[in-house]
Amino acid sequence: PLFVSSDLDYISGLLDECFRIIINICTELPPPVNRNTFLRLRNKLRRDLIHKLISGPATYSQILECFSIYPEHQNLDSSGIDSLILEVADKQLGNGLKPPTFFLKKQF
């Protein structure tokens, strides 16, 4: 045989780590220059929301906590934040004491 099973495990892990590095490099590139501060903030929040939802579903309060790293996010009204969330996420209704959660749309 060309490879032993332990070699395949090592190569598989190495490829996985290489893909993670490539994804991190691509997603951490600075956003394009935009002179409009509102659009620049919206793009930052959209990017961070996608990053948050890639790791799994999140509640509305968890999403707002993610946005809190940008103090200027408070300049957006709740309808602006809601439209941003619905642009990239689908809502799954909660039941009982479980709150509704948002998960990333399939196109992302």
Side-chain angles (χ1 to χ4, degrees):
L2 198 54
F3 292 108
V4 199
S5 68
S6 63
D7 289 343
L8 290 176
D9 291 340
Y10 174 76
I11 291 171
S12 173
L14 191 60
L15 282 174
D16 183 50
E17 196 59 35
C18 287
F19 285 132
R20 286 178 195 264
I21 290 171
I22 290 170
I23 289 169
N24 281 340
I25 290 171
C26 292
T27 58
E28 294 302 321
L29 290 174
V33 176
N34 188 345
R35 297 190 196 285
N36 185 333
T37 56
F38 172 76
L39 287 177
R40 188 170 48 234
L41 172 63
R42 195 170 194 289
N43 288 339
K44 285 181 192 176
L45 294 177
R46 184 177 187 273
R47 181 172 165 235
D48 283 354
L49 176 59
I50 291 171
H51 280 232
K52 174 73 174 166
L53 294 177
I54 282 175
S55 66
T59 62
Y60 191 80
S61 59
Q62 290 170 328
I63 291 172
L64 290 181
E65 185 179 315
C66 173
F67 289 168
S68 67
I69 62 170
Y70 301 106
E72 62 267 27
H73 91 280
Q74 295 175 349
N75 296 341
L76 289 176
D77 61 353
S78 62
S79 65
I81 290 176
D82 291 345
S83 69
L84 176 65
I85 292 172
L86 293 177
E87 181 182 316
V88 299
D90 287 324
K91 185 176 183 178
Q92 181 178 357
L93 297 176
N95 54 9
L97 296 176
K98 185 179 176 189
T101 55
F102 296 88
F103 57 94
L104 195 61
K105 287 186 176 181
K106 292 192 186 293
Q107 66 227 34
F108 294 100

